[in-house]
C-alpha cells in the first residue's frame, strides 16, 4: 500500500544520505580539494549533480501536492547539455557548500515525498518517455538510485572495493524491498548480476542473470552485448541461459 511504499522510499533516502556522509568521512585531503573537469568529475561534482536533480524533483513533487502541473523542462535536454549546465552552475563552489546543498535537497525531497503519499501510485505525472510509470518510480530513480550509482562509480574510481561491494548490495536490497513486480525485480537483479560479473563472481552472476531474464525477458537482447557481462560470456552456463529461455519461448 501507499504507506508501505512511502516508508520504504524514505528509508532509501535516509540510507543514501548516510552512505554519502560515510564516503565524505573517508575522503583524503586531496580528494576533498580536487577540482574536476567536465570530462572527469571530482567527488564534489558528483554530489552537486545528483543534489541538483533531487532539488528539482522536490520542487516538482511540491507542485503536484499543490495541484499544479510539474515542470520537467531540464529532463528534456540532451544528457551532455544537462551535465554541462549543472557542472558549470556549481563548479566554483567548495565541497562544504555542495554538501550543504545536498543536505538541503535531501530534506526538501523527504518533505515533498510525504506530501504526495497518495499520488505515489498515480500514472501521468512523469516526463516522457516514462509517463506510463507510477510516480514512485521517478522518486526512487532520481531520489535514490541515481545518487547511489554516483557513489558506486566514485568508490570504484578510487579503488575502494569493500565500499563498492557494499553500495551495490545495499542498492539491490533496498530496491527489491520497494516493489515486487517482475519488471522492477528483473531490472534490479540484472544490475546485481552485472556487478557480480565485473567482480569476478561468475557463478553468482550467471545465477542472477538467469533469474533476471526469466523475470524480464525484454532485457535479453541488451544482455547479449552488455559489456558488464563480458567476463562471463564464454562460460557454458551463460550460453545455456539463452538456449533454455529461447526453447521456453
Amino acid at each position: 500500500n501507499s504507506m508501505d511504499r512511502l516508508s520504504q522510499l524514505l528509508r532509501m533516502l535516509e540510507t543514501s544520505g548516510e552512505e554519502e556522509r560515510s564516503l565524505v568521512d573517508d575522503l583524503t585531503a586531496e580528494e576533498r580539494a580536487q577540482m574536476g573537469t567536465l570530462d572527469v568529475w571530482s567527488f564534489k561534482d558528483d554530489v552537486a549533480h545528483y543534489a541538483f536533480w533531487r532539488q528539482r524533483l522536490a520542487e516538482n513533487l511540491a507542485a503536484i501536492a499543490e495541484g499544479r502541473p510539474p515542470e520537467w523542462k531540464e529532463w528534456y535536454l540532451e544528457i551532455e547539455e544537462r551535465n554541462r549546465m549543472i557542472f558549470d552552475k556549481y563548479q566554483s563552489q567548495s565541497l562544504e557548500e555542495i554538501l550543504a546543498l545536498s543536505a538541503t535537497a535531501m530534506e526538501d525531497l523527504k518533505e515533498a515525498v510525504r506530501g504526495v503519499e497518495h499520488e505515489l501510485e498515480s500514472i501521468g505525472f512523469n516526463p516522457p518517455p516514462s509517463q506510463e510509470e507510477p510516480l514512485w518510480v521517478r522518486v526512487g530513480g532520481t531520489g535514490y538510485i541515481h545518487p547511489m550509482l554516483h557513489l558506486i562509480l566514485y568508490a570504484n574510481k578510487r579503488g575502494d572495493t569493500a565500499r563498492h561491494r557494499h553500495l551495490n548490495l545495499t542498492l539491490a536490497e533496498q530496491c527489491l524491498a520497494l516493489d515486487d513486480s517482475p519488471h522492477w525485480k528483473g531490472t534490479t537483479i540484472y544490475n546485481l548480476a552485472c556487478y557480480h560479473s565485473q567482480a569476478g563472481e561468475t557463478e553468482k552472476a550467471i545465477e542472477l542473470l538467469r533469474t533476471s531474464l526469466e523475470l524480464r525477458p525484454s532485457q535479453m537482447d541488451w544482455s547479449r552485448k552488455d559489456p558488464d557481462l563480458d567476463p562471463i560470456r564464454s562460460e557454458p552456463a551463460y550460453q545455456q541461459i539463452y538456449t533454455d529461455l529461447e526453447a521456453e519461448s
Side-chain angles (χ1 to χ4, degrees), residues 4 9 14 29 43 52 58-59 115 167 176 194 202-203 220 233 245:
D4 291 340
L9 285 168
E14 287 285 353
F43 179 71
F52 171 88
E59 292 165 6
L167 289 169
L176 290 171
C194 289
T202 300
E203 192 173 328
M220 201 177 301
R233 200 141 353 245
L245 292 179

Side-chain angles (χ1 to χ4, degrees), residues 189-190 192-212 228-229 231-232 238 241:
I189 294 170
Y190 178 86
L192 192 56
C194 289
Y195 163 71
H196 285 290
S197 169
Q198 290 290 301
E201 297 165 0
T202 300
E203 192 173 328
K204 187 68 173 174
I206 289 172
E207 174 194 336
L208 291 169
L209 179 62
R210 177 182 286 275
T211 301
S212 73
D228 284 347
L229 298 175
I232 64 172
Y238 166 88
I241 294 172

Side-chain angles (χ1 to χ4, degrees), residues 206 209-210 213 236-246:
I206 289 172
L209 179 62
R210 177 182 286 275
L213 297 180
Y238 166 88
Q239 295 158 13
Q240 190 64 42
I241 294 172
Y242 298 89
T243 303
D244 293 346
L245 292 179
E246 284 165 357

